[in-house]
Amino acid sequence: MAEIPSILVLEPAAEQSQRRTAGIMVKKGPQLDLESLKAHLREIRQHSRDNHISLLEELKRNLDQYAGVKLAIATDAKQAASYIKQTAEGTDLASINKSSVVINELRPELQASGFKTYIRYFTEFKNFEKFEKKVEDYWALPGMHERGLVESFDVRKTVTRLRSSEVRDFVAILGVNAVSAEDGSVFFLQHMTNISKDLEQAKKIILVVSLEKVVKDRGAALFQTRCMGIFGLESILLDLGPKEVEQYDFDSLPTLSGDQGRELHILILDNGRKGLLKDGYKDLFLCLDCRACARQCPIGLHLLANKGMVYSPKNYLLGFLQGWLPPAEACVHCGRCQVECPVEIDIPTLLWKGQFEYYARHGRGLRKRLLDNPELLAKLGSWTAPLANWAKDRVIFKLIMQVVAGIHRQARLPTFHRQTLRKWAKGGRRG
């Protein structure tokens, strides 16, 4: 019996993937049938959602057979952070990957418990002499799928043992992309070398498995991880670039002698997910976290991304349902997230549902009532014009509108007319 389950790391298949990642990451390859990929992916995700209890039990049984694995289950992020703190045994330096589970859900609790966390992915940009960010906004994305341009992903590294001559004193906390219930094999997708280095160098390795990442078997896990790369490729470009605040030179840490104290932990995290299945949000379990839904979202750069979070409309909704974000008021319900989703999750409807349930429980305040009724505001402006037009440009009025209605003082308010379009259409121009 092997010491640990296989840990497989996938990368873009073409050579010099790192340089292409920093560039545009477009490769013209054989035409793939995207609709067939989506159909098979949806089948895998539906099986995972509908059988999550039996899959989790099967995974636990199989992981128990590996002598080199320490298995733990956390009901929420705080409990998970407490377990990691205990496991670290005094080490407060942590390398984390770009997993939304780790960054959005675990990192705040890790930092609150004293960890210094760094996203090693961003450290890799120091290896480029000059980096030029080519995509600033979603409308500048290349639209590769529409042009038949896709990327393929192959297994580039397989870890089957803990022994290493490069061990350093830090903790690696890595959110997995998929795990096979059948044999416990774990899959990652990487575009740089950060995950491979963490697996080779970290004294303590914590693999974080959120419930929806458990799939039927090794083949399903490999396919799901490849699809994450294929459908999430374009969204990666939106936040591609160096971030100095996240950089830490783990390579410069002194190597430890031998493999003394090296451990592999697999931490299964619920964090409210079972509750979502009961509360009408079960389709969120279909999500594979590819972030395709972020590709055309017009509000992404103005929300979590600027706060160091991993943004996607699904994460926006999940954060609200888990209680670390306010109601998703910024969503404009354009529906692009559903169009882009490879498994067609109806995120706009789920966002409406979340907002409706929240205000049904807590009621609507004055600001919410005003903004929910723009027709009333327009009528007030029309009835009081031209006084309203004089007042809307006064500083004191702008400040009042910011406090009362939440309209920023620098926002340009519309010009009101006594004669409305409706009156004009009915012949009111004669009056």
Side-chain angles (χ1 to χ4, degrees):
M1 187 70 184
E3 179 186 20
I4 62 172
S6 297
I7 304 174
L8 300 98
V9 182
L10 278 69
E11 290 182 0
E15 296 179 353
Q16 298 180 327
S17 60
Q18 289 186 21
R19 293 188 180 279
R20 288 187 301 102
T21 300
I24 193 66
M25 288 200 304
V26 176
K27 170 194 174 187
K28 191 163 187 176
Q31 187 77 21
L32 297 179
D33 183 351
L34 286 177
E35 293 308 314
S36 297
L37 289 176
K38 290 178 181 178
H40 186 42
L41 177 61
R42 188 172 179 83
E43 181 182 332
I44 289 172
R45 296 308 309 146
Q46 285 177 335
H47 183 274
S48 179
R49 178 196 62 186
D50 298 341
N51 301 276
H52 70 282
I53 296 176
S54 59
L55 288 174
L56 182 59
E57 292 304 314
E58 182 182 2
L59 175 64
K60 288 191 290 186
R61 283 197 306 273
N62 288 322
L63 289 177
D64 282 341
Q65 299 179 36
Y66 294 99
V69 172
K70 298 180 186 298
L71 178 63
I73 298 176
T75 56
D76 56 37
K78 190 170 185 177
Q79 190 177 52
S82 176
Y83 175 81
I84 295 171
K85 183 75 174 177
Q86 182 181 0
T87 299
E89 295 179 327
T91 300
D92 63 358
L93 181 60
S95 171
I96 61 178
N97 65 343
K98 282 191 68 188
S99 157
S100 63
V101 176
V102 174
I103 293 178
N104 294 351
E105 300 178 40
L106 285 187
R107 183 166 65 172
E109 294 291 345
L110 291 169
Q111 292 177 339
S113 62
F115 277 103
K116 300 170 185 173
T117 64
Y118 298 92
I119 304 174
R120 194 167 183 170
Y121 169 85
F122 293 111
T123 305
E124 305 254 314
F125 285 90
K126 68 180 176 58
N127 297 325
F128 299 102
E129 294 180 359
K130 183 179 180 182
F131 176 82
E132 181 182 357
K133 187 172 176 58
K134 296 184 178 181
V135 179
E136 295 289 347
D137 294 292
Y138 72 91
W139 53 80
L141 285 171
M144 291 180 284
H145 292 163
E146 290 85 346
R147 291 186 283 152
L149 298 171
V150 297
E151 183 59 278
S152 59
F153 298 84
D154 289 339
V155 176
R156 291 292 180 180
K157 183 181 181 67
T158 302
V159 178
T160 57
R161 62 182 187 178
L162 285 174
R163 288 189 294 279
S164 170
S165 60
E166 298 293 328
V167 179
R168 292 158 169 79
D169 189 13
F170 70 94
V171 180
I173 305 167
L174 307 173
V176 311
N177 296 124
V179 58
S180 162
E182 184 182 55
D183 63 356
S185 55
V186 177
F187 287 78
F188 286 100
L189 175 69
Q190 72 172 5
H191 292 287
M192 296 291 196
T193 62
N194 54 312
I195 294 173
S196 295
K197 285 186 175 179
D198 279 347
L199 292 173
E200 186 176 5
Q201 296 179 352
K203 182 178 178 182
K204 304 289 178 71
I205 303 170
I206 317 290
L207 305 184
V208 181
V209 181
S210 52
L211 295 183
E212 75 276 13
K213 296 298 171 61
V214 184
V215 299
K216 179 174 56 176
D217 54 30
R218 193 181 177 111
L222 175 61
F223 186 83
Q224 176 171 305
T225 306
R226 279 182 169 145
C227 283
M228 186 164 180
I230 292 170
F231 295 109
L233 192 60
E234 293 157 324
S235 294
I236 289 176
L237 300 174
L238 288 174
D239 55 4
L240 188 68
K243 293 183 180 178
E244 291 187 7
V245 70
E246 297 287 0
Q247 295 183 8
Y248 185 90
D249 190 1
F250 289 92
D251 290 329
S252 67
L253 292 171
T255 55
L256 303 177
S257 58
D259 296 336
Q260 188 176 8
R262 195 155 204 241
E263 296 174 358
L264 174 67
H265 297 251
I266 294 183
L267 177 59
I268 298 173
L269 178 65
D270 184 332
N271 210 23
R273 286 172 169 79
K274 286 181 182 174
L276 298 180
L277 289 166
K278 301 174 183 174
D279 295 338
Y281 297 93
K282 66 177 185 179
D283 278 358
L284 290 182
F285 250 63
L286 298 176
C287 178
L288 66 154
D289 255 343
C290 68
R291 295 181 62 228
C293 56
R295 180 177 174 269
Q296 293 289 332
C297 179
I299 63 170
L301 290 179
H302 308 287
L303 290 170
L304 302 185
N306 283 343
K307 298 177 180 177
M309 301 288 200
V310 180
Y311 176 76
S312 72
K314 172 259 181 177
N315 288 340
Y316 190 30
L317 172 60
L318 183 62
F320 162 64
L321 295 173
Q322 290 176 328
W324 51 273
L325 281 177
E329 293 291 344
C331 176
V332 296
H333 296 279
C334 65
R336 290 301 305 175
C337 50
Q338 185 181 7
V339 173
E340 299 291 343
C341 177
V343 291
E344 300 176 355
I345 301 174
D346 188 357
I347 297 174
T349 297
L350 294 178
L351 281 163
W352 277 122
K353 173 179 166 61
Q355 289 178 299
F356 177 81
E357 291 174 347
Y358 176 83
Y359 289 111
R361 290 195 303 270
H362 301 282
R364 294 184 301 161
L366 175 61
R367 177 181 297 184
K368 175 66 177 169
R369 289 176 182 274
L370 286 173
L371 294 181
D372 280 354
N373 196 349
E375 293 83 2
L376 175 61
L377 294 176
K379 285 179 179 178
L380 288 174
S382 178
W383 289 339
T384 57
L387 178 62
N389 292 324
W390 173 83
K392 73 181 181 63
D393 294 326
R394 306 279 81 80
V395 174
I396 185 65
F397 182 81
K398 288 175 175 288
L399 290 173
I400 292 173
M401 290 301 292
Q402 180 168 307
V403 172
V404 175
I407 299 174
H408 196 278
R409 62 185 182 280
Q410 294 181 350
R412 294 183 62 184
L413 297 176
T415 300
F416 300 102
H417 299 276
R418 293 297 296 272
Q419 186 180 52
T420 64
L421 178 62
R422 182 174 297 173
K423 288 181 179 178
W424 178 84
K426 290 181 178 179
R429 54 184 169 175
R430 294 191 301 271

